[in-house]
Amino acid sequence: MNSKDAVLALVILALGGIGIYAVYKYTEAQQSGTSTSGGSGGTGGTGGTGGSGGGSGSGSSPYYTLTFTESGLPKGKTWIVNVNGVDYYGVAPSPIVVSNLTGVSDWQVPTLYGGENVFGWYTWKYTPTPSQGTANSTETIPITFSGSYNL
């Protein structure tokens, strides 16, 4: 086992595999007398006991953001988007922005009801279109509400 293999084995034990490429490239460059910067896609990370994290690279992030915009609601009306079981609230006409998502995200926008007539029924409702979907990358999702009244 040469020193490059020993450092790589130490990194695997100390960091649980985080930042291996950055340390490997550093050790390789150190032995050959050349210089190099961190990894090409790492996001840093936290080191294990006595460790100090990986390279800072410029690769793509595993996180993404969904921005929900609305049309059709009266100004000041609160609206809701549920992403992966968590409710996010906004006030029309402001968008709802959900960030730091990973993997596939399921989202739903519920129908909004309000008011009550003498029979105990809702007097108005706003129905969203689309009302649900999935996403796995950064995007803006326009939601159109259509209102109706039940007198």
Side-chain angles (χ1 to χ4, degrees):
M1 175 185 284
N2 63 33
S3 64
K4 184 175 14 176
D5 294 333
V7 169
L8 186 56
L10 178 61
V11 169
I12 291 171
L13 290 174
L15 301 178
I18 298 172
I20 293 172
Y21 177 72
V23 174
Y24 175 79
K25 289 292 286 182
Y26 174 76
T27 305
E28 185 178 75
Q30 190 176 35
Q31 287 180 352
S32 66
T34 61
S35 64
T36 185
S37 59
S40 64
T43 57
T46 52
T49 305
S52 63
S56 61
S58 61
S60 64
S61 170
Y63 301 104
Y64 62 92
T65 299
L66 296 179
T67 301
F68 296 87
T69 59
E70 68 79 27
S71 61
L73 289 179
K75 184 177 182 179
K77 177 72 182 147
T78 299
W79 61 297
I80 306 165
V81 174
N82 181 291
V83 179
N84 296 331
V86 178
D87 287 334
Y88 297 87
Y89 296 84
V91 177
S94 298
I96 296 175
V97 178
V98 183
S99 56
N100 293 326
L101 296 167
T102 60
V104 176
S105 293
D106 295 314
W107 59 266
Q108 298 86 31
V109 180
T111 297
L112 304 175
Y113 297 93
E116 193 173 295
N117 66 17
V118 294
F119 301 110
W121 298 332
Y122 291 110
T123 56
W124 55 262
K125 73 176 182 177
Y126 289 96
T127 306
T129 304
S131 62
Q132 63 183 357
T134 59
N136 62 3
S137 62
T138 295
E139 65 179 291
T140 297
I141 302 168
I143 306 294
T144 303
F145 286 91
S146 57
S148 61
Y149 294 91
N150 180 25
L151 299 177

